[in-house]
Amino acid sequence: MEEKTSVKTVVILGATGSIGTQTVNVIKQLKDYKIVGISFGSNREVAREIISEMNVAYYVSNVELEIGTKLADTEELLKRTTPDIVVSAIPGFEGVKATLTALKYTKRLALATKEALVCAGPFVKALAKERNVEIIPIDSEHSAIFQLYEPHIERILITASGGAVRDIPMEKIGDLTPPDILKHPTWNMGGRITVDSATMVNKFFEVVEAHELFDLPYEKIDVRLNRSSFIHGIVFLKDGVIKIHAGKPDMRIPIAYALTYPERRYESYVAKVEEFDLSLQDVDRERYPLFTYALELAKDNDYLSWRIALNASDEIAVKSFLDGRIRFKDIEEIVRKTVEAVLDMNISVDKIEDVYEIDEMARKIAKNFLKNT
Ligand code: NDP
Ligand code: MG
C-alpha cells in the first residue's frame, strides 16, 4: 500500500528577502508543501509574484496589493493559518518580535532570524519547550551542527568567511563604502547581515546562537575562517571522533533541511572533490575588533541586557552606514559605547517585556551617539 503524503502548510515571515525567496524556491521543488501566508515589508513586485505563483491566501505588509487577502498583523496571520511550519526570516528586532509570536501558533519554527536567540534566547527556548515547538535552525553553520549533533560532544567549531574585508589592507578598511562592503565573497544575503559579516558581528551572533541552541559554554565554541565557505561546522566528540559538515554554500540546502527534517528530500548540486577547500585559518582579531570585543565580553557576562543593546545599536549603526551617514569604522564606536552604557546600568532581564524595554532604551542611546558622530 502506498503511503499517503499529507501537505505541510508553511508561513514565511520576511518572504520577499534573501531567505524568504530561497524558501519559495525550495518549496517549488518539494511540491507537498503549501505556502498559506506571507509577511513582508514593502517589496510589492516580489510579493505579487510569490502570491500569484504559489497561490498564497493571506499576507501582512505595510503596503496594499490587489491580490491575496491582507491581514492586520503577524499574530492575525498565524492565528488564521496555524501552519505546520513558520519560516522566520525578518532581520533585526522586528524579527525577534515575529519569532516570539510564531512560537504560539506552530509546531515547527524554521529559524533564520538569529537575532531572536541573541536578544531573547532563554525566552524563546522556554516558550518552545512549554508549547512543544521544534526549533530547526536555518543558519548554515547551525544547520550543520544540528545535523552532526550527538550528546557526547567535547566542543564544536563554526566557520566564517571573513566577509568583504578579509583581504583588504588594514589601513583601508575603515573608509570602505557600502558598495565595497556589500560585495560578499561567498554568500548572497540581505544588507544588514552582509555588513555584519564584514565586522563579524554576524559571527558573534552565531556563537551566541550556538550557545543557546546547543547549550554549550562559549569556551567550547571555536570560530575559524574557511575561505570557500564549504565547511560549515565541525563537531568534536569525546571519543576522539571529529565530524565535519561540508557542501556548497547555498542557503537552499539548510532551508530545505529545516522544512523536511528528519527526512532529506531536496535535490541539489553535489560538489566535486576538486572544489573542496577544507583549510581553516585563525580569525585575525585586529581585523574584526567588534567580534573580538563582544566575544570576550560574552565569556564573563552571560546575560541578556548587553546582547540586546548590541543588536539594537548595530542595527541602527549599520542602517546609518548603508544610508551613507557614517563611515564603516564608526559602527564599532557606536556599538561599543551603547553596549558599555547599558552594561553600566546593571539591568536584569526577568521577563519578555524587559527585552522590549531594553531594546527601546538602547536605540535611544545609540541614536544619541550617532548624532555626535
Ligand atoms: P533581507 O534583508 O534579504 O530580507 C528581509 C525580509 O524581511 C524582506 O522580506 C523584508 O521585506 C522583510 N521585512 C523587513 N521588515 C519587516 C517587517 N517589519 N515586517 C515584515 N517583514 C519585514 O534579509 P535576509 O533574508 O538576508 O535575512 C533574514 C534573516 O535571516 C536575518 O535575521 C539574517 O540574519 C538571517 N540569515 C540570513 C542568511 C542569508 O543567507 N540571507 C543566512 C543566515 C541567517 P521587504 O524587503 O519587502 O521590505
Ligand atoms: Mg551563518
Side-chain angles (χ1 to χ4, degrees):
M1 208 170 75
E2 212 173 294
E3 204 181 314
K4 219 174 118 198
T5 51
S6 60
V7 171
K8 288 225 158 50
T9 55
V10 182
V11 163
I12 307 173
L13 304 176
T16 53
S18 160
I19 293 292
T21 52
Q22 292 183 89
T23 304
V24 174
N25 199 293
V26 166
I27 287 178
K28 279 185 198 163
Q29 191 199 101
L30 292 177
K31 296 203 171 63
D32 47 354
Y33 285 72
K34 166 93 188 123
I35 304 170
V36 291
I38 62 168
S39 83
F40 65 101
S42 54
N43 191 338
R44 278 200 179 86
E45 211 175 306
V46 174
R48 235 184 252 127
E49 215 177 288
I50 299 171
I51 291 175
S52 68
E53 214 180 329
M54 308 303 284
N55 203 7
V56 179
Y58 301 108
Y59 72 93
V60 169
S61 165
N62 304 321
V63 295
E64 304 275 340
L65 300 175
E66 60 293 340
I67 48 169
T69 303
K70 181 171 172 170
L71 298 176
D73 53 27
T74 311
E75 181 120 27
E76 203 190 320
L77 172 66
L78 294 170
K79 211 182 266 176
R80 184 78 66 101
T81 54
T82 54
D84 296 313
I85 305 171
V86 173
V87 175
S88 181
I90 300 172
F93 202 74
E94 280 304 320
V96 179
K97 293 189 211 161
T99 305
L100 286 162
T101 307
L103 287 166
K104 296 197 278 176
Y105 298 101
T106 190
K107 285 291 162 224
R108 176 172 300 184
L109 178 70
L111 182 63
T113 303
K114 60 194 86 184
E115 293 90 329
L117 290 170
V118 171
C119 298
F123 298 103
V124 168
K125 288 195 293 184
L127 203 57
K129 198 168 170 199
E130 185 190 309
R131 298 191 174 246
N132 220 353
V133 184
E134 292 176 293
I135 301 178
I136 317 287
I138 282 182
D139 213 347
S140 55
E141 299 78 3
H142 305 74
S143 175
I145 303 294
F146 182 80
Q147 290 176 52
L148 300 173
Y149 191 88
E150 48 184 293
H152 214 48
I153 278 190
E154 170 57 29
R155 61 179 197 277
I156 65 168
L157 183 152
I158 58 173
T159 57
S161 67
V165 311
R166 69 183 185 193
D167 297 319
I168 308 280
M170 288 281 271
E171 65 282 4
K172 293 200 176 140
I173 294 176
D175 296 315
L176 291 176
T177 62
D180 301 326
I181 294 293
L182 290 175
K183 275 186 231 138
H184 194 282
T186 52
W187 298 100
N188 198 347
M189 312 179 285
R192 167 144 190 229
I193 184 171
T194 308
V195 178
D196 283 348
S197 295
T199 56
M200 274 186 60
V201 162
N202 177 54
K203 207 49 58 176
F204 170 68
F205 282 177
E206 290 187 358
V207 171
V208 177
E209 188 183 4
H211 164 75
E212 295 288 2
L213 283 173
F214 307 111
D215 289 317
L216 288 167
Y218 289 106
E219 289 71 21
K220 296 202 169 195
I221 306 169
D222 197 0
V223 177
R224 296 293 162 100
L225 293 199
N226 173 237
R227 296 180 65 87
S228 66
S229 297
F230 261 72
I231 301 184
H232 306 124
I234 305 180
V235 161
F236 301 78
L237 297 175
K238 289 195 171 129
D239 64 0
V241 168
I242 299 167
K243 298 202 288 186
I244 301 180
H245 185 290
K248 190 179 154 75
D250 178 343
M251 285 310 295
R252 288 172 300 187
I253 301 169
I255 290 169
Y257 191 75
L259 294 174
T260 65
Y261 167 83
E263 287 174 45
R264 288 182 192 275
R265 303 244 314 279
Y266 185 65
E267 297 195 359
S268 175
Y269 174 78
V270 180
K272 299 182 183 68
V273 172
E274 306 84 80
E275 292 171 74
F276 277 50
D277 156 32
L278 299 183
S279 62
L280 297 171
Q281 288 165 260
D282 287 348
V283 176
D284 178 349
R285 303 272 151 168
E286 280 170 46
R287 189 172 286 273
Y288 305 101
L290 208 43
F291 169 72
T292 309
Y293 166 73
L295 205 54
E296 284 310 308
L297 203 53
K299 285 177 183 160
D300 296 327
N301 302 274
D302 191 17
Y303 42 81
L304 277 185
S305 61
W306 69 268
R307 281 166 31 185
I308 301 165
L310 196 155
N311 174 65
S313 54
D314 183 68
E315 196 172 326
I316 284 171
V318 167
K319 184 170 188 310
S320 305
F321 167 68
L322 290 175
D323 291 346
R325 279 183 283 152
I326 61 169
R327 293 163 302 177
F328 182 66
K329 63 177 162 215
D330 298 327
I331 297 173
E332 184 197 344
E333 195 180 308
I334 291 164
V335 171
R336 276 180 87 131
K337 280 184 175 167
T338 309
V339 166
E340 259 141 47
V342 170
L343 266 176
D344 282 346
M345 293 177 200
N346 253 323
I347 323 165
S348 70
V349 184
D350 305 317
K351 48 188 188 313
I352 196 66
E353 289 74 25
D354 299 342
V355 175
Y356 289 72
E357 260 174 46
I358 296 168
D359 171 75
E360 213 166 290
M361 182 188 68
R363 269 162 214 279
K364 282 191 194 134
I365 297 173
K367 280 181 188 158
N368 244 328
F369 286 132
L370 194 66
K371 259 192 255 157
N372 305 321
T373 301

